[in-house]
Amino acid sequence: MKTQLLPPTGEALSRAAALLREGEVVGFPTETVYGLGANALDADAAEKIFQAKGRPGDNPLIVHISSEEELAPLIAGEPCEAARRLMAAYWPGPMTLIFPKSPRVPERVTAGLATVAIRMPAHPVARRLIELAKVPVAAPSANRSGRPSPTTAEDVFEDMNGRIPLILDGGACGVGLESTVIDLTGSAPRVLRPGGITQAQIEAVTQTCEVDPAVLHPLGEGERPRSPGMKYKHYAPRGEVTIFHGPGTVREICNRYDRSEDALILALEGNLSQYGDRRIISLGPDARAMAQNLFGALREADRMGAKVIFCEAVEPTGVGLAVMNRLLRAAAFRVVET
Ligand code: AMP
Ligand code: MG
């Protein structure tokens, strides 16, 4: 299959929407990361996403909508009070809500779960595409399973060339990490996956908000995650990533760097000068910038052929929680306290 990479002109958007309606899979930009979309009401179309990504069958997809009217047919019952407040505050935006599912949503999409994950993206290209397709769009991140999520159309092309017919190129993604996933089916809202909408932002409208322990800790043997995607090694470049935390971070990385070949450092902008002429990629000045730059930096590490990757930690608060959640998985939870 030949994969076209097109700017999101009216013509390209119409073609992408037609492909979705025909049961095909299309790559498209959102404000979080690039998505791999298919008609969420068509089980065979959804199956093509799993094939293209090499995604494990028990990892459910997020269903994307472009208006609130599209929500009711996808969920069982009415949205709860917390859901209504969260939607009013943060949709469209980088927030996914988990609801009890309606029978209309194929089991293939929810990986057999009784719940469905729904998001209304803010990116104008994503919104227009969903509007034109006139169907809800199931879409995980557009990477091959296990790889860092794509934040540019070129990243999608790198992973999906020959596997899908079309990628819409909307430039670089603003947030750079996947959406915040919030489970609303328990007694209190619970963050299953942190993202661009922070715990404080959620608490501002719901008062309470729990964070699932699996966000920052590996699952125990035989433990079943509430967010199935959490159990996989994820976001990983080919090189071995180690995270450094604490006041001796720069010193410790410098010590270890000298002993290895093909090493690379991922550091905050403010620390760059302390690493001398060692090979380094800047992650930007703060946690927000780090969120935006992390996946691109991990992919760049692969292109550079880095075998050993040393990365500075950030404090796991605000957007930093989402950064550490992804980084810990990219590093298979290898952390050096300094
Ligand atoms: P991706 O779009 O690739 O970031 O993957 C979507 C993620 O959303 C999955 O890894 C799941 O962990 C999570 N997710 C999707 N549907 C559900 C659901 N019904 N319940 C809990 N988590 C979900
Ligand atoms: Mg993903």
Side-chain angles (χ1 to χ4, degrees), residues 32-36 53 55 58-64 96-99 101 109-119 138-143 149 177-179 181-183 185 192-193 225-232 234-235 326:
T32 58
V33 300
Y34 272 74
L36 204 58
K53 281 184 63 97
R55 184 175 177 97
D58 62 353
N59 194 358
L61 308 176
I62 293 172
V63 178
H64 294 70
T96 296
L97 301 178
I98 310 282
F99 297 95
K101 96 186 238 315
V109 169
T110 60
L113 295 177
T115 52
V116 59
I118 303 186
R119 178 164 105 83
S141 51
N143 50 289
S149 301
L177 295 181
E178 301 85 346
S179 58
V181 176
I182 309 171
D183 185 3
T185 62
L192 302 185
R193 178 179 74 183
R226 295 185 55 179
S227 177
M230 292 275 202
K231 72 170 180 253
Y232 297 104
H234 239 131
Y235 318 116
R326 307 310 192 276

Side-chain angles (χ1 to χ4, degrees), residues 125-137:
V125 174
R127 293 175 66 79
R128 190 74 189 125
L129 177 63
I130 300 165
E131 266 164 34
L132 288 171
K134 297 191 175 65
V135 289
V137 174

Side-chain angles (χ1 to χ4, degrees), residues 126-201:
R127 293 175 66 79
R128 190 74 189 125
L129 177 63
I130 300 165
E131 266 164 34
L132 288 171
K134 297 191 175 65
V135 289
V137 174
S141 51
N143 50 289
R144 290 276 295 161
S145 207
R147 298 261 300 139
S149 301
T151 53
T152 67
E154 290 74 25
D155 291 347
V156 181
F157 193 79
E158 190 174 77
D159 281 19
M160 291 297 155
N161 185 18
R163 297 180 163 268
I164 59 173
L166 176 63
I167 302 164
L168 294 172
D169 184 352
C173 299
V175 179
L177 295 181
E178 301 85 346
S179 58
T180 305
V181 176
I182 309 171
D183 185 3
L184 295 169
T185 62
S187 53
R190 172 179 281 238
V191 174
L192 302 185
R193 178 179 74 183
I197 299 294
T198 63
Q199 188 182 5
Q201 283 177 293

